[in-house]
Amino acid sequence: MTPSKPYLIRAFYDWILDNDLTPHLLIDADFPGTMVPEQHIQNGQIILNISPGAVQNLQLDNELINFSARFSGEPFAISFSPDAVLGIYANENGQGMLFEPTLPEETDKIEEDEAPKKPTGGPSLKVVK
């Protein structure tokens, strides 16, 4: 079964825009393959405004999120895996969803002959207020 995270990101993105708010992503800047402007990284994370007025050519795909944006007036091509997303929320009120950090080795494809592992513990969703 495909991961639900990219679908949740797209759903929250649409929900935030439908309510005339500004969607922001919290990104693990240290996640492998993440391309973000290093000068804006704080504590290994970066917050990105992904509203239509702030970015160009936004693609929220299952395997890769990418777009163009300006930082200090300079254009920058942003790209990262949905697994690098730690949260999506509306800037104005903080409503949205946080995700558990994904370890890079967890993103490897499961071999066809390998049995799926049962999740341990309860649900890992958190409410953002």
Side-chain angles (χ1 to χ4, degrees):
M1 193 166 190
T2 59
S4 61
K5 191 174 192 179
Y7 296 90
L8 291 170
I9 292 168
R10 287 191 293 272
F12 271 91
Y13 174 80
D14 288 340
W15 175 68
I16 292 167
L17 289 180
D18 286 350
N19 285 280
D20 296 320
L21 300 173
T22 310
H24 279 65
L25 291 176
L26 175 62
I27 306 298
D28 175 357
D30 296 327
F31 197 87
T34 299
M35 293 177 43
V36 295
E38 292 182 19
Q39 65 271 28
H40 296 283
I41 296 172
Q42 294 180 342
N43 299 320
Q45 300 176 344
I46 187 169
I47 297 173
L48 300 171
N49 175 350
I50 59 167
S51 66
V55 301
Q56 294 179 342
N57 304 320
L58 176 65
Q59 295 181 338
L60 299 171
D61 295 333
N62 289 355
E63 300 295 324
L64 188 69
I65 296 173
N66 59 28
F67 56 89
S68 298
R70 290 191 170 274
F71 293 86
S72 303
E74 296 294 320
F76 197 93
I78 308 287
S79 67
F80 49 88
S81 166
D83 290 324
V85 177
L86 299 173
I88 181 168
Y89 63 94
N91 188 54
E92 292 81 358
N93 61 18
Q95 290 190 2
M97 176 178 266
L98 291 177
F99 301 101
E100 290 292 325
T102 305
L103 299 175
E105 59 268 11
E106 291 177 9
T107 62
D108 293 339
K109 300 285 183 203
I110 296 175
E111 296 294 325
E112 288 183 25
D113 58 345
E114 185 180 327
K117 297 176 182 155
K118 292 184 179 182
T120 59
S124 60
L125 299 178
K126 296 179 183 178
V127 176
V128 178
K129 294 184 181 181

